Amino acid sequence: MKYDQIVFGFQGGGALGAYQVGVVTALHEAGYYPNWVTGTSIGAINAAIIAGNIPEDRIEKLHQFWSKISTPDIFDTDIIHADMITQRLSHYWSSLSALLFGQPGFFKPRLISPILDLETSPDHISFYDTSELRSTLEYFIDFELINHKKNHHAIRLSVGAVEVCEGEMIYFDTEKHKIGPEHIMASAALPPGFPAVRIEDKLYWDGGISSNSPVQYILDDEKYSVALCFLVHLFDSYGVTPKNLDDVLKRRKDIEFSSRFSHLANLRKESHCLKYTINQLAKLIPDDKKKDPAIKEMLFRGCDRTISLVRFLYTGNPADLSSKDYEFSKKSADQHIKRGYRDTKQGLEKSPWLTPIPETAGIVLYDMAEESCDLPGTRK
């Protein structure tokens, strides 16, 4: 099947974003090169690294970035094959290290706690200083390539952020804006950990506090006719009954940042199917009838776009703690990358998205998490 648009959409999720690297690596090896990448928070950073490098360098740059911001594990053990208690202790100490000391090239604790600031601006109110992130982004991302539309390697980039005062979710998009490091930092500015980022005369926070998945922005775009969208999500709304306080915190985070994807996807599928059906029925209406103003207005609401949505999802690990999104150990990052790669390779073996979309639908969602439920550590 030929597509005029291949889209990668990345959810935010902090340290879990390493999973997206594994997914992209497998898709790259299979020959899926995006025309458009979009994301929120850490997903925006991964998206920008892809858009800001030529295809031959993208995977290496992604791996190098994650190697830079990860730190050695305190426990010198094989975390994958260790017992549950050892794994959780390892995760706990690594996340505690991130809280106390920050992550290299990403963020570091402020010397003065924001609690002591009685009145200042949002771009100074945070527990961590993210100024180091700018130089890291400039090292791994070619912003001239991102903004050079005439370069044949240039692809579209969109990153989501929230305007602080109005609370409006907006996307910085290379089709409308010249994107720099500050736009990527704004998308990843999760309060109160990270400060708001000032762009021109407005302040922006992490887009994940409004909508952690770019799927709605992708579906709202009407510039393509046949699209294949790979969505890589990091929080699973499905889960088990919590058994302790940390389970409660983890469950809340999963539900909050899963962005109500299933509900949103079903609503958009229903809407798109209706529009697509109108377009199909229009073919049966005689040309002279189409000139009737009322019928003409009805037919205008139709669309002929076909969309294949493919979702890969980090479904969690029994040893995960509520701090999984800021547990940046090298071992965990490698484990997430391998998990994403494995899930995607398994999905590629089936590639259900290659089958024709039903004429009565116009849009199909392939949830690869459901296809992978036989894997250890996934949903049951």
Side-chain angles (χ1 to χ4, degrees):
M1 183 178 294
K2 293 184 177 180
Y3 306 96
D4 59 6
Q5 189 82 274
I6 295 180
V7 188
F8 288 0
F10 301 135
Q11 197 179 67
L16 300 179
Y19 177 85
Q20 294 168 345
V21 177
V23 174
V24 172
T25 301
L27 291 176
H28 182 88
E29 291 177 356
Y32 288 99
Y33 304 113
N35 315 95
W36 179 18
V37 285
T38 177
T40 305
S41 197
I42 197 67
I45 294 177
N46 284 335
I49 294 173
I50 293 172
N53 286 280
I54 61 176
E56 296 86 346
D57 295 339
R58 290 170 183 168
I59 303 305
E60 182 181 359
K61 290 292 186 180
L62 281 168
H63 284 266
Q64 288 178 352
F65 169 78
W66 280 92
S67 178
K68 179 176 179 59
I69 67 169
S70 300
T71 49
D73 200 296
I74 295 176
F75 287 83
D76 185 18
T77 183
D78 184 349
I79 190 173
I80 297 177
H81 299 101
D83 60 79
M84 183 70 68
I85 294 177
T86 302
Q87 288 187 61
R88 290 189 170 182
L89 281 173
S90 177
H91 293 329
Y92 172 76
W93 286 112
S94 293
S95 57
L96 183 61
S97 174
L99 287 177
L100 294 176
F101 307 111
Q103 293 299 128
F106 198 162
F107 61 92
K108 60 183 179 181
R110 292 191 183 277
L111 295 177
I112 300 177
S113 171
I115 297 175
L116 301 178
D117 287 328
L118 298 180
E119 188 173 349
T120 184
S121 58
D123 51 336
H124 293 93
I125 303 173
S126 66
F127 289 100
Y128 299 92
D129 177 1
T130 58
S131 58
E132 290 183 5
L133 180 58
R134 172 179 284 271
S135 58
T136 300
L137 295 176
E138 290 174 335
Y139 180 82
F140 288 104
I141 299 168
D142 182 348
F143 285 95
E144 288 189 10
L145 173 60
I146 284 178
N147 295 296
H148 199 305
K149 297 181 181 179
K150 294 183 179 180
N151 188 314
H152 70 282
H153 287 305
I155 60 177
R156 182 180 176 187
L157 171 66
S158 311
V159 297
V162 173
E163 201 280 318
V164 173
C165 293
E166 297 179 5
E168 179 183 2
M169 180 75 182
I170 72 107
Y171 277 85
F172 297 113
D173 193 320
T174 50
E175 291 200 342
K176 306 172 185 176
H177 310 92
K178 181 178 180 180
I179 289 183
E182 62 275 11
H183 298 88
I184 313 303
M185 294 174 68
S187 184
L190 183 64
F194 299 162
V197 175
R198 188 178 298 276
I199 299 176
E200 295 179 353
D201 60 340
K202 294 186 177 182
L203 293 164
Y204 296 90
W205 274 331
D206 191 311
I209 64 176
S210 177
S211 178
N212 199 33
S213 172
V215 62
Q216 184 167 341
Y217 187 71
I218 294 171
L219 294 179
D220 283 341
D221 190 278
E222 298 182 356
K223 298 182 180 67
Y224 50 82
S225 57
V226 183
L228 174 62
C229 306
F230 290 104
L231 307 172
V232 191
H233 289 180
L234 305 175
F235 292 99
D236 192 1
S237 59
Y238 175 91
V240 297
T241 303
K243 297 180 180 179
N244 53 54
L245 179 58
D246 191 75
D247 283 351
V248 170
L249 296 174
K250 181 171 66 174
R251 228 19 242 122
R252 189 194 71 173
K253 190 174 290 185
D254 284 339
I255 294 170
E256 181 179 2
F257 289 111
S258 65
S259 301
R260 301 172 297 281
F261 173 75
S262 297
H263 177 68
L264 175 61
N266 287 332
L267 286 177
R268 296 309 298 259
K269 281 178 62 179
E270 183 177 346
S271 172
H272 186 86
C273 286
L274 179 59
K275 292 181 179 180
Y276 191 76
T277 301
I278 291 173
N279 181 75
Q280 295 298 91
L281 290 175
K283 299 176 182 179
L284 304 178
I285 299 176
D287 291 340
D288 60 321
K289 295 291 186 181
K290 293 179 181 179
K291 296 178 182 179
D292 182 287
I295 295 178
K296 191 174 183 179
E297 182 179 349
M298 291 181 215
L299 298 183
F300 180 74
R301 297 171 183 169
C303 74
D304 62 352
R305 292 183 297 152
T306 59
I307 306 171
S308 297
L309 293 174
V310 183
R311 182 172 81 141
F312 291 98
L313 171 67
Y314 176 76
T315 51
N317 184 300
D320 283 343
L321 301 175
S322 60
S323 57
K324 60 184 178 178
D325 56 329
Y326 57 90
E327 198 273 281
F328 283 91
S329 71
K330 185 69 167 61
K331 289 182 180 179
S332 289
D334 290 343
Q335 185 179 15
H336 295 330
I337 292 172
K338 291 178 181 178
R339 174 78 171 271
Y341 185 82
R342 180 194 64 184
D343 288 353
T344 308
K345 292 291 284 188
Q346 183 187 55
L348 287 165
E349 289 178 1
K350 301 177 181 179
S351 295
W353 54 87
L354 296 180
T355 57
I357 294 178
E359 292 186 0
T360 56
I363 182 171
V364 178
L365 169 63
Y366 304 98
D367 194 337
M368 304 314 294
E370 296 179 358
E371 297 284 338
S372 306
C373 60
D374 58 322
L375 295 176
T378 59
R379 60 176 77 190
K380 298 294 183 182

